[in-house]
Amino acid sequence: MMSSSEKAANIRVLVRVRPEIGSNPTDGVLQIRSMSNGVAPPLDFGVGRGNSSDDQTTSHHSEGIIFIPQQAQLSHVGATPGRRASSALNQSRSFTYDAVFGPQSQQVEIFDSVNGIIDAVCAGYNGTIVAYGQTGSGKTHTIFGEDGLQDDVNASGLVQRSLKSIFHKIAEQSLISPTSAGAVAGGTIRTTTKASFLEIYNERVYDLLSTNDSTFVEEEGTKGLPVREDATKGVYVEGLVEREVGNTVDAMDVLRCGIENRSTAATNMNRVSSRSHALFVLTVKSELFSETGTSKVRTSKFTLVDLAGSERQKTTATDGDRLKEASMINNSLLCLGQVINSLVDREKGKQNHVPFRDSKLTFLLRDSWGGNSKTCLVATVSPSLASLSETISTLKFAQR
């Protein structure tokens, strides 16, 4: 894996270890080893480091390694009835990432590290944040904050901070003087933003902003919304609702609406959030008008992907609908890992095929990840001994 000390990359991986809650033992389970001296800089996406909230604040992250000693793995097996130690547990493990945040890290530090994604979106690139982690690993806290979607200075998650930053930068761009760099001489800039929110369940796409109740009822013959490809539009979902949003408040209202519909859908369709992938997309369209009447259009997308976890596949009954769910989730995550591997290989100069079409998730993300798009995978893990198996599984997925 390329480190952030190397040439700017289009794909970065960030891992956050959440603080332990309760009395579960954690001593020595996960050890964070820094590869850099002092505070590591924000992740470099080749667009700009962005404006951190406080450049003088000590950061609790490093460009480094998560180390799992042999004894911790053996202790985990010993604490799990019916499990036997395998040869794989007779050696220590280490995982290297672009950024590793420890249990003492703050919400603002996570955002400052990935702020280059926001800079990329406002500069005309597609920027994507992919969140992955088992239940209880702190993923919801990292993405949405402590109190759901409440806008709190300290507790706000990545989604609130990202949207606020995007609209702040849009407002700044609209105030650029005609003689400033990046503006059309003697012209104006007009920006429109639209938001959509969907989920993928059992390889079917559902619109979370639709007011049509039938969208959320999986009756016999219902196949969800179709995914199309067009030479002009690229990959799109036919019939997907896009709402125009003018500021952070509007965008957050769309998020709340989608989350509420997702909960309703879980009741009607017997599905819960962890069994489906959710995609929130903010499309930013900037039109630059010159004083001669000509115009130039630039379109970019900010995409937040909340991946389904696989932690329940081992503990729930693997028959009927649950077996189908587990199979679909595993397949889509496998396809996603293969796409990430292929994109990293391309970044290193290998001209190989990227299997975007192998799943609905990767196909919908094709335009968001193609070309010079910027992507950050944010993986969250628990430091507790009881969760070590799922932690290792997440770390393996993130190291792809």
XYZ file of all heavy atoms in Angstrom, residues 144-248:
795
model
N -21.805 10.025 11.709
C -22.962 10.866 12.012
C -22.865 11.602 13.348
O -23.693 12.457 13.635
C -24.237 10.021 12.004
C -24.536 9.391 10.683
C -24.414 8.023 10.504
C -24.925 10.162 9.598
C -24.679 7.438 9.281
C -25.189 9.585 8.368
C -25.067 8.215 8.206
N -21.887 11.296 14.177
C -21.739 11.989 15.449
C -22.434 11.291 16.590
O -23.090 10.257 16.416
N -22.313 11.875 17.773
C -22.845 11.251 18.980
C -24.366 11.249 19.029
O -24.976 10.290 19.481
C -22.305 11.977 20.216
C -20.815 11.799 20.430
C -20.333 12.507 21.673
O -21.175 13.110 22.366
O -19.126 12.478 21.952
N -24.986 12.319 18.564
C -26.442 12.453 18.673
C -27.092 12.405 17.295
O -27.864 13.284 16.916
C -26.812 13.754 19.380
C -26.245 13.803 20.791
O -26.362 12.790 21.483
O -25.696 14.843 21.176
N -26.736 11.383 16.540
C -27.325 11.265 15.210
C -26.863 12.373 14.298
O -25.674 12.555 14.084
N -27.803 13.156 13.780
C -27.465 14.227 12.840
C -27.538 15.603 13.486
O -27.696 16.608 12.799
C -28.400 14.161 11.625
C -28.246 12.914 10.760
C -29.286 12.911 9.654
C -26.852 12.842 10.162
N -27.419 15.669 14.816
C -27.413 16.960 15.499
C -26.134 17.712 15.163
O -25.050 17.140 15.091
C -27.519 16.760 17.017
C -28.816 16.112 17.465
C -30.037 16.936 17.072
O -30.052 18.156 17.216
N -31.068 16.257 16.580
N -26.255 19.011 14.934
C -25.109 19.840 14.576
C -24.456 20.372 15.849
O -24.853 21.387 16.397
C -25.570 21.000 13.681
C -24.382 21.794 13.133
O -23.243 21.340 13.308
O -24.615 22.871 12.550
N -23.460 19.664 16.327
C -22.739 20.035 17.537
C -21.278 20.262 17.183
O -20.673 19.465 16.453
C -22.861 18.934 18.586
C -22.182 19.310 19.889
O -20.970 19.072 20.016
O -22.868 19.846 20.778
N -20.694 21.327 17.697
C -19.326 21.703 17.332
C -18.353 20.574 17.609
O -17.463 20.280 16.810
C -18.895 22.980 18.092
C -17.435 23.287 17.819
C -19.783 24.147 17.697
N -18.493 19.916 18.749
C -17.546 18.877 19.148
C -17.964 17.481 18.704
O -17.121 16.654 18.376
C -17.368 18.896 20.670
C -16.766 20.194 21.165
O -15.832 20.720 20.570
N -17.306 20.725 22.253
N -19.261 17.211 18.706
C -19.744 15.850 18.462
C -20.081 15.564 17.005
O -20.268 14.402 16.641
C -20.971 15.573 19.329
N -20.170 16.568 16.155
C -20.554 16.362 14.757
C -19.636 15.361 14.073
O -18.424 15.343 14.301
C -20.518 17.685 13.993
O -21.505 18.566 14.455
N -20.245 14.533 13.222
C -19.474 13.535 12.497
C -18.977 14.045 11.155
O -19.094 15.229 10.831
N -18.444 13.121 10.371
C -17.878 13.491 9.070
C -18.918 14.098 8.140
O -18.612 15.031 7.394
C -17.266 12.254 8.404
C -15.849 11.865 8.796
C -15.433 10.589 8.073
C -14.878 12.996 8.483
N -20.149 13.586 8.170
C -21.142 14.065 7.215
C -21.520 15.514 7.482
O -21.594 16.333 6.540
C -22.393 13.151 7.217
C -23.104 13.173 8.551
C -23.354 13.548 6.114
N -21.738 15.888 8.749
C -22.082 17.287 9.061
C -20.927 18.221 8.697
O -21.129 19.277 8.083
C -22.420 17.453 10.542
C -23.678 16.736 10.981
C -23.358 15.422 11.640
O -22.472 14.698 11.214
N -24.090 15.098 12.697
N -19.727 17.835 9.081
C -18.566 18.698 8.828
C -18.281 18.817 7.332
O -17.913 19.888 6.841
C -17.340 18.143 9.566
C -17.496 18.137 11.086
C -16.301 17.488 11.773
N -16.575 17.265 13.182
C -16.376 18.154 14.143
N -15.888 19.351 13.823
N -16.652 17.879 15.400
N -18.459 17.721 6.601
C -18.202 17.750 5.158
C -19.185 18.658 4.431
O -18.798 19.484 3.597
C -18.273 16.333 4.584
O -17.266 15.510 5.129
N -20.477 18.510 4.747
C -21.487 19.336 4.088
C -21.297 20.807 4.428
O -21.404 21.680 3.550
C -22.885 18.877 4.498
C -23.307 17.494 3.981
C -24.648 17.088 4.564
C -23.364 17.481 2.456
N -21.012 21.092 5.678
C -20.803 22.484 6.089
C -19.603 23.086 5.359
O -19.644 24.233 4.889
C -20.582 22.557 7.603
C -20.437 23.981 8.138
C -20.298 23.984 9.658
C -21.593 23.545 10.312
N -21.536 23.672 11.790
N -18.540 22.308 5.214
C -17.344 22.793 4.530
C -17.598 23.016 3.046
O -17.144 24.001 2.462
C -16.196 21.794 4.720
O -15.013 22.245 4.094
N -18.345 22.096 2.420
C -18.643 22.243 0.987
C -19.423 23.527 0.722
O -19.074 24.310 -0.179
C -19.422 21.016 0.474
C -18.507 19.801 0.400
C -20.034 21.304 -0.905
C -19.224 18.515 0.046
N -20.470 23.763 1.494
C -21.285 24.958 1.259
C -20.537 26.234 1.641
O -20.762 27.292 1.046
C -22.608 24.853 2.013
C -23.598 23.943 1.348
C -23.823 22.662 1.841
C -24.278 24.340 0.208
C -24.717 21.807 1.218
C -25.176 23.498 -0.426
C -25.397 22.224 0.086
N -19.634 26.143 2.607
C -18.802 27.294 2.953
C -17.879 27.642 1.791
O -17.732 28.820 1.433
C -17.987 26.996 4.202
C -17.034 28.099 4.584
N -17.467 29.309 5.098
C -15.675 28.178 4.496
C -16.412 30.086 5.319
N -15.318 29.417 4.965
N -17.279 26.629 1.174
C -16.383 26.871 0.040
C -17.159 27.362 -1.183
O -16.657 28.188 -1.954
C -15.602 25.597 -0.291
C -14.599 25.203 0.782
C -13.875 23.928 0.409
C -12.935 23.484 1.528
N -11.856 24.464 1.761
N -18.386 26.863 -1.371
C -19.217 27.349 -2.477
C -19.510 28.832 -2.299
O -19.451 29.617 -3.256
C -20.526 26.542 -2.557
C -20.250 25.125 -3.064
C -21.538 27.236 -3.466
C -21.471 24.221 -3.042
N -19.832 29.234 -1.060
C -20.103 30.644 -0.780
C -18.870 31.487 -1.031
O -18.958 32.602 -1.565
C -20.569 30.802 0.668
N -17.704 30.965 -0.679
C -16.461 31.697 -0.919
C -16.209 31.862 -2.408
O -15.797 32.934 -2.869
C -15.284 30.955 -0.280
C -15.205 31.078 1.235
C -13.959 30.404 1.784
O -13.444 29.472 1.124
O -13.491 30.818 2.860
N -16.455 30.817 -3.181
C -16.238 30.877 -4.625
C -17.156 31.898 -5.292
O -16.768 32.579 -6.241
C -16.455 29.499 -5.249
C -15.372 28.492 -4.909
C -15.663 27.117 -5.480
O -16.739 26.872 -6.042
N -14.720 26.206 -5.341
N -18.390 32.013 -4.791
C -19.337 32.955 -5.382
C -18.943 34.398 -5.114
O -19.423 35.315 -5.791
C -20.744 32.699 -4.834
O -20.798 32.974 -3.444
N -18.063 34.597 -4.127
C -17.614 35.949 -3.788
C -16.283 36.297 -4.425
O -15.737 37.368 -4.185
C -17.490 36.089 -2.259
C -18.801 35.953 -1.472
C -18.524 36.012 0.023
C -19.782 37.049 -1.870
N -15.739 35.356 -5.224
C -14.457 35.627 -5.885
C -14.595 36.828 -6.803
O -15.519 36.921 -7.602
C -13.998 34.405 -6.709
C -13.679 33.234 -5.773
C -12.778 34.736 -7.541
C -13.273 31.976 -6.509
N -13.665 37.741 -6.717
C -13.705 38.929 -7.575
C -13.319 38.540 -8.989
O -12.586 37.574 -9.201
C -12.739 39.988 -7.045
O -11.405 39.528 -7.109
N -13.767 39.294 -9.986
C -13.482 38.956 -11.375
C -12.003 38.894 -11.701
O -11.613 38.251 -12.658
C -14.172 40.083 -12.159
C -15.255 40.558 -11.252
C -14.684 40.437 -9.876
N -11.181 39.543 -10.908
C -9.751 39.562 -11.202
C -8.990 38.498 -10.426
O -7.790 38.358 -10.577
C -9.150 40.937 -10.859
O -9.398 41.229 -9.467
C -9.769 42.016 -11.711
N -9.692 37.741 -9.570
C -9.026 36.716 -8.770
C -8.706 35.498 -9.617
O -9.384 35.197 -10.601
C -9.910 36.305 -7.585
O -10.153 37.409 -6.748
N -7.684 34.761 -9.198
C -7.301 33.551 -9.909
C -8.427 32.528 -9.816
O -9.031 32.340 -8.770
C -6.032 32.964 -9.292
N -8.722 31.862 -10.927
C -9.749 30.838 -10.930
C -11.106 31.357 -11.358
O -12.009 30.568 -11.600
N -11.280 32.654 -11.424
C -12.571 33.200 -11.836
C -12.526 33.565 -13.304
O -11.481 33.767 -13.891
C -12.913 34.423 -11.004
N -13.693 33.635 -13.911
C -13.783 34.080 -15.295
C -13.674 35.589 -15.316
O -14.403 36.280 -14.601
C -15.121 33.633 -15.923
C -15.223 34.135 -17.348
C -15.243 32.115 -15.876
N -12.745 36.095 -16.113
C -12.514 37.534 -16.147
C -13.798 38.286 -16.454
O -14.431 38.067 -17.485
C -11.452 37.854 -17.190
N -14.186 39.150 -15.528
C -15.374 39.965 -15.734
C -16.666 39.180 -15.666
O -17.712 39.707 -16.021
N -16.619 37.910 -15.221
C -17.811 37.079 -15.222
C -18.283 36.727 -13.827
O -17.857 37.294 -12.832
N -19.201 35.763 -13.775
C -19.791 35.338 -12.502
C -19.811 33.815 -12.422
O -19.683 33.116 -13.428
C -21.224 35.874 -12.354
O -22.015 35.393 -13.454
C -21.239 37.389 -12.347
N -19.998 33.323 -11.208
C -20.095 31.884 -10.967
C -21.445 31.586 -10.314
O -21.803 32.206 -9.321
C -18.963 31.389 -10.048
C -17.595 31.669 -10.680
C -19.115 29.896 -9.756
C -16.433 31.292 -9.782
N -22.185 30.642 -10.877
C -23.458 30.233 -10.296
C -23.394 28.739 -9.996
O -23.090 27.928 -10.870
C -24.618 30.513 -11.245
C -25.990 30.169 -10.646
C -27.110 30.552 -11.588
N -27.072 29.766 -12.813
C -27.812 30.051 -13.890
N -28.576 31.122 -13.897
N -27.735 29.269 -14.958
N -23.660 28.372 -8.750
C -23.542 26.978 -8.319
C -24.882 26.451 -7.837
O -25.578 27.109 -7.067
C -22.507 26.841 -7.188
O -21.238 27.333 -7.635
C -22.353 25.398 -6.767
N -25.245 25.277 -8.316
C -26.456 24.598 -7.844
C -26.050 23.239 -7.272
O -25.124 22.588 -7.772
C -27.472 24.387 -8.976
O -26.851 23.646 -10.047
C -27.967 25.713 -9.507
N -26.737 22.827 -6.228
C -26.429 21.546 -5.587
C -27.699 20.730 -5.432
O -28.752 21.246 -5.059
C -25.782 21.770 -4.200
O -26.584 22.693 -3.444
C -24.380 22.343 -4.339
N -27.597 19.429 -5.720
C -28.722 18.515 -5.580
C -28.283 17.293 -4.783
O -27.144 16.835 -4.898
C -29.252 18.076 -6.953
C -29.887 19.209 -7.754
C -30.450 18.697 -9.070
C -31.133 19.809 -9.846
N -31.712 19.319 -11.131
N -29.207 16.757 -3.980
C -28.890 15.619 -3.122
C -29.816 14.446 -3.419
O -31.003 14.627 -3.704
C -29.003 16.007 -1.650
N -29.267 13.248 -3.354
C -30.048 12.022 -3.476
C -29.570 11.045 -2.411
O -28.455 11.149 -1.906
C -29.911 11.405 -4.872
O -28.554 11.077 -5.140
N -30.433 10.089 -2.075
C -30.137 9.159 -0.994
C -30.781 7.819 -1.344
O -31.996 7.738 -1.541
C -30.699 9.696 0.327
C -30.055 9.123 1.561
C -29.002 8.223 1.494
C -30.516 9.493 2.817
C -28.412 7.708 2.631
C -29.937 8.986 3.974
C -28.885 8.092 3.884
N -29.979 6.774 -1.461
C -30.504 5.459 -1.822
C -29.836 4.371 -0.995
O -28.832 4.610 -0.330
C -30.296 5.184 -3.317
C -28.847 5.131 -3.841
C -28.238 3.732 -3.695
C -28.784 5.581 -5.303
N -30.422 3.195 -1.046
C -29.782 2.048 -0.416
C -29.854 0.847 -1.342
O -30.723 0.764 -2.224
C -30.394 1.726 0.939
C -31.797 1.176 0.907
C -32.283 0.745 2.292
O -31.433 0.553 3.173
O -33.501 0.617 2.475
N -28.927 -0.074 -1.137
C -28.866 -1.299 -1.929
C -29.065 -2.473 -0.987
O -28.266 -2.690 -0.071
C -27.515 -1.433 -2.654
C -27.243 -0.208 -3.529
C -27.481 -2.704 -3.486
C -25.853 -0.176 -4.115
N -30.154 -3.199 -1.193
C -30.478 -4.343 -0.356
C -30.738 -5.545 -1.258
O -31.572 -5.483 -2.159
C -31.712 -4.047 0.502
C -32.239 -5.239 1.263
C -31.573 -5.696 2.393
C -33.382 -5.899 0.838
C -32.052 -6.800 3.087
C -33.871 -6.993 1.531
C -33.206 -7.450 2.648
O -33.673 -8.543 3.333
N -29.972 -6.629 -1.058
C -30.098 -7.819 -1.897
C -29.972 -7.480 -3.381
O -30.733 -7.964 -4.216
C -31.420 -8.544 -1.624
C -31.382 -9.359 -0.345
O -30.324 -9.507 0.280
N -32.525 -9.879 0.056
N -29.014 -6.602 -3.688
C -28.738 -6.186 -5.070
C -29.922 -5.478 -5.714
O -30.059 -5.463 -6.940
C -28.312 -7.382 -5.938
C -26.873 -7.805 -5.722
C -25.869 -6.715 -6.092
O -25.678 -6.467 -7.291
O -25.280 -6.113 -5.168
N -30.783 -4.871 -4.898
C -31.877 -4.043 -5.388
C -31.688 -2.632 -4.866
O -31.297 -2.433 -3.719
C -33.231 -4.596 -4.941
C -33.552 -5.971 -5.500
C -34.860 -6.501 -4.953
N -35.194 -7.812 -5.504
C -36.251 -8.517 -5.145
N -37.094 -8.022 -4.243
N -36.494 -9.690 -5.689
N -31.999 -1.655 -5.711
C -31.806 -0.252 -5.359
C -33.131 0.368 -4.943
O -34.139 0.254 -5.665
C -31.215 0.540 -6.555
C -31.065 2.012 -6.200
C -29.874 -0.057 -6.970
N -33.150 1.026 -3.786
C -34.356 1.669 -3.263
C -34.083 3.140 -2.981
O -33.024 3.494 -2.436
C -34.819 0.972 -1.974
C -35.216 -0.465 -2.185
C -34.286 -1.486 -2.011
C -36.508 -0.804 -2.573
C -34.643 -2.806 -2.221
C -36.867 -2.125 -2.777
C -35.928 -3.131 -2.607
O -36.281 -4.441 -2.817
N -35.024 3.993 -3.373
C -34.904 5.437 -3.181
C -35.405 5.803 -1.785
O -36.573 5.602 -1.457
C -35.726 6.157 -4.255
C -35.516 7.663 -4.235
O -34.821 8.165 -3.331
O -36.044 8.335 -5.146
N -34.529 6.365 -0.970
C -34.909 6.728 0.392
C -35.583 8.096 0.482
O -36.002 8.503 1.563
C -33.669 6.708 1.303
C -33.053 5.328 1.517
C -31.783 5.429 2.349
C -34.044 4.385 2.179
N -35.692 8.797 -0.634
C -36.364 10.094 -0.642
C -37.719 10.033 -1.331
O -38.424 11.035 -1.418
C -35.493 11.145 -1.339
C -34.109 11.400 -0.735
C -33.392 12.502 -1.506
C -34.223 11.767 0.736
N -38.080 8.882 -1.814
C -39.349 8.740 -2.518
C -40.520 8.824 -1.552
O -40.451 8.325 -0.423
C -39.385 7.408 -3.275
O -40.653 7.196 -3.854
N -41.597 9.446 -2.006
C -42.827 9.524 -1.197
C -43.794 8.405 -1.551
O -44.890 8.323 -1.004
C -43.531 10.872 -1.429
O -43.797 11.034 -2.837
C -42.659 12.013 -0.944
N -43.366 7.550 -2.475
C -44.197 6.421 -2.899
C -43.962 5.252 -1.947
O -42.877 4.681 -1.898
C -43.834 6.019 -4.331
C -44.729 4.907 -4.859
O -45.609 4.422 -4.153
N -44.496 4.510 -6.103
N -44.967 4.888 -1.167
C -44.817 3.820 -0.180
C -44.426 2.497 -0.804
O -43.786 1.662 -0.176
C -46.117 3.628 0.614
C -46.397 4.811 1.523
O -45.446 5.542 1.830
O -47.571 4.993 1.912
N -44.806 2.278 -2.063
C -44.502 0.997 -2.702
C -43.007 0.815 -2.892
O -42.523 -0.303 -3.095
C -45.208 0.899 -4.058
O -44.732 1.904 -4.943
N -42.262 1.936 -2.840
C -40.805 1.844 -2.971
C -40.218 1.031 -1.837
O -39.176 0.398 -1.974
C -40.189 3.261 -2.958
O -40.764 4.023 -4.009
C -38.686 3.197 -3.167
N -40.858 1.039 -0.688
C -40.302 0.405 0.495
C -40.966 -0.932 0.829
O -40.744 -1.484 1.875
C -40.438 1.339 1.696
C -39.875 2.703 1.431
C -40.712 3.806 1.333
C -38.525 2.881 1.257
C -40.201 5.067 1.068
C -37.995 4.134 0.995
C -38.833 5.225 0.904
N -41.831 -1.420 -0.043
C -42.514 -2.685 0.226
C -42.047 -3.718 -0.786
O -42.258 -3.563 -1.986
C -44.050 -2.524 0.149
C -44.721 -3.854 0.424
C -44.519 -1.466 1.136
N -41.383 -4.740 -0.301
C -40.835 -5.754 -1.190
C -41.894 -6.811 -1.500
O -41.879 -7.922 -0.982
C -39.601 -6.404 -0.556
C -38.850 -7.298 -1.523
C -37.565 -7.804 -0.910
O -36.944 -7.083 -0.132
O -37.191 -8.946 -1.233
N -42.819 -6.430 -2.365
C -43.853 -7.369 -2.759
C -43.294 -8.287 -3.841
O -42.249 -8.035 -4.428
C -45.062 -6.599 -3.290
C -45.707 -5.678 -2.255
C -46.800 -4.827 -2.855
O -46.850 -4.780 -4.098
O -47.575 -4.234 -2.105
N -44.002 -9.344 -4.096
C -43.553 -10.281 -5.119
C -43.486 -9.578 -6.474
O -44.421 -8.933 -6.916
C -44.534 -11.466 -5.197
C -44.073 -12.555 -6.159
C -45.013 -13.740 -6.150
O -45.957 -13.740 -5.320
O -44.822 -14.651 -6.972
N -42.341 -9.697 -7.126
C -42.152 -9.063 -8.420
C -41.492 -7.698 -8.343
O -41.076 -7.165 -9.358
N -41.406 -7.113 -7.138
C -40.753 -5.820 -6.990
C -39.246 -5.978 -7.141
O -38.634 -6.802 -6.473
C -41.067 -5.196 -5.615
O -42.469 -5.035 -5.507
C -40.380 -3.852 -5.472
N -38.652 -5.190 -8.004
C -37.223 -5.330 -8.272
C -36.432 -4.073 -7.917
O -35.256 -3.976 -8.207
C -37.000 -5.680 -9.747
C -37.609 -7.012 -10.163
C -37.316 -7.309 -11.620
C -37.928 -8.655 -12.021
N -37.657 -8.963 -13.451
N -37.079 -3.102 -7.288
C -36.374 -1.872 -6.990
C -36.212 -1.012 -8.229
O -36.801 -1.275 -9.285
N -35.408 0.026 -8.135
C -35.190 0.932 -9.257
C -34.093 0.404 -10.179
O -33.088 -0.128 -9.705
C -34.800 2.317 -8.737
C -35.843 3.041 -7.877
C -35.287 4.353 -7.357
C -37.124 3.279 -8.667
N -34.261 0.571 -11.489
C -33.250 0.070 -12.430
C -32.041 0.985 -12.510
O -32.153 2.209 -12.401
C -34.003 0.045 -13.768
C -35.052 1.108 -13.629
C -35.460 1.096 -12.176
N -30.873 0.395 -12.690
C -29.627 1.141 -12.879
C -29.322 1.173 -14.365
O -29.259 0.125 -15.023
C -28.467 0.494 -12.101
C -27.168 1.274 -12.324
C -28.791 0.429 -10.609
N -29.153 2.381 -14.909
C -28.930 2.553 -16.349
C -27.556 3.176 -16.597
O -26.921 3.720 -15.689
C -29.998 3.449 -16.962
C -31.435 3.054 -16.654
C -31.828 1.772 -17.318
N -33.268 1.523 -17.204
C -33.835 0.363 -17.461
N -33.107 -0.667 -17.860
N -35.148 0.212 -17.334
N -27.159 3.108 -17.853
C -25.924 3.767 -18.279
C -26.203 4.564 -19.541
O -26.861 4.077 -20.461
C -24.815 2.744 -18.539
C -23.483 3.380 -18.893
C -22.378 2.350 -19.054
O -22.690 1.150 -19.145
O -21.194 2.752 -19.105
N -25.740 5.814 -19.547
C -25.997 6.713 -20.668
C -24.691 7.426 -21.037
O -23.876 7.728 -20.154
C -27.066 7.740 -20.291
C -27.405 8.688 -21.416
O -28.195 8.311 -22.299
O -26.847 9.801 -21.421
N -24.515 7.686 -22.328
C -23.280 8.323 -22.777
C -23.110 9.713 -22.181
O -21.988 10.173 -21.942
C -23.261 8.399 -24.304
N -24.236 10.388 -21.914
C -24.178 11.741 -21.354
C -24.225 11.720 -19.837
O -23.415 12.344 -19.163
C -25.340 12.590 -21.889
O -25.289 12.623 -23.322
C -25.261 14.012 -21.345
N -25.177 10.979 -19.273
C -25.354 10.946 -17.820
C -24.354 10.053 -17.114
O -24.089 10.216 -15.924
C -26.771 10.454 -17.490
C -27.892 11.364 -17.939
C -29.228 10.767 -17.514
C -30.395 11.632 -17.927
N -31.700 11.035 -17.509
N -23.809 9.076 -17.827
C -22.985 8.075 -17.174
C -23.879 7.043 -16.510
O -24.981 6.749 -16.984
N -23.460 6.492 -15.372
C -24.263 5.526 -14.632
C -25.252 6.278 -13.749
O -24.873 7.187 -13.012
C -23.372 4.611 -13.770
C -24.233 3.619 -12.993
C -22.366 3.862 -14.643
N -26.533 5.901 -13.819
C -27.549 6.582 -13.013
C -28.663 5.621 -12.649
O -28.802 4.545 -13.236
C -28.119 7.788 -13.759
C -28.974 7.441 -14.955
C -30.365 7.434 -14.871
C -28.395 7.117 -16.186
C -31.159 7.099 -15.968
C -29.168 6.783 -17.285
C -30.546 6.779 -17.175
O -31.330 6.453 -18.251
N -29.461 6.010 -11.656
C -30.609 5.214 -11.228
C -31.871 5.849 -11.793
O -32.193 7.001 -11.481
C -30.695 5.139 -9.688
C -31.929 4.345 -9.262
C -29.435 4.509 -9.105
N -32.569 5.119 -12.615
C -33.774 5.644 -13.245
C -34.872 5.851 -12.204
O -35.188 4.962 -11.426
C -34.265 4.675 -14.321
C -35.456 5.192 -15.114
C -35.866 4.248 -16.229
O -35.051 3.381 -16.614
O -37.013 4.366 -16.703
N -35.426 7.070 -12.173
C -36.497 7.381 -11.251
C -36.044 7.831 -9.876
O -36.886 8.096 -9.009
N -34.746 7.955 -9.675
C -34.232 8.374 -8.367
C -34.522 9.857 -8.131
O -34.271 10.690 -8.992
C -32.730 8.121 -8.289
C -32.050 8.410 -6.944
C -32.519 7.408 -5.892
C -30.538 8.354 -7.091
N -35.036 10.179 -6.961
C -35.364 11.559 -6.614
C -34.084 12.336 -6.285
O -33.236 11.864 -5.527
C -36.318 11.612 -5.408
C -36.524 13.045 -4.935
C -37.658 10.974 -5.772
N -33.958 13.517 -6.873
C -32.876 14.441 -6.541
C -33.503 15.739 -6.049
O -34.310 16.345 -6.752
C -31.995 14.731 -7.760
C -30.927 13.706 -8.031
C -29.931 14.203 -9.066
O -30.375 14.529 -10.188
O -28.731 14.280 -8.765
N -33.154 16.156 -4.858
C -33.699 17.376 -4.298
C -32.656 18.487 -4.336
O -31.513 18.291 -3.938
C -34.155 17.153 -2.860
C -35.349 16.215 -2.735
C -35.846 16.145 -1.315
N -36.964 15.194 -1.177
C -37.536 14.884 -0.024
N -37.091 15.455 1.095
N -38.528 14.022 0.026
N -33.089 19.647 -4.803
C -32.168 20.786 -4.822
C -31.997 21.315 -3.401
O -32.976 21.533 -2.675
C -32.711 21.886 -5.735
C -31.711 23.023 -5.948
C -32.071 23.903 -7.125
O -32.828 23.446 -8.008
O -31.596 25.058 -7.156
N -30.772 21.505 -2.999
C -30.450 21.988 -1.658
C -29.562 23.221 -1.803
O -28.621 23.232 -2.580
C -29.749 20.904 -0.808
C -30.707 19.780 -0.475
C -28.526 20.342 -1.523
N -29.882 24.264 -1.022
C -29.144 25.509 -1.156
C -28.141 25.772 -0.060
O -27.325 26.684 -0.167
N -28.193 24.960 1.003
C -27.279 25.194 2.115
C -27.164 23.920 2.958
O -27.781 22.894 2.652
C -27.770 26.359 2.983
C -29.242 26.221 3.352
O -29.685 25.181 3.814
N -30.024 27.284 3.108
N -26.386 24.007 4.026
C -26.158 22.843 4.880
C -27.445 22.352 5.521
O -27.674 21.133 5.628
C -25.138 23.193 5.982
O -23.960 23.737 5.383
C -24.768 21.961 6.786
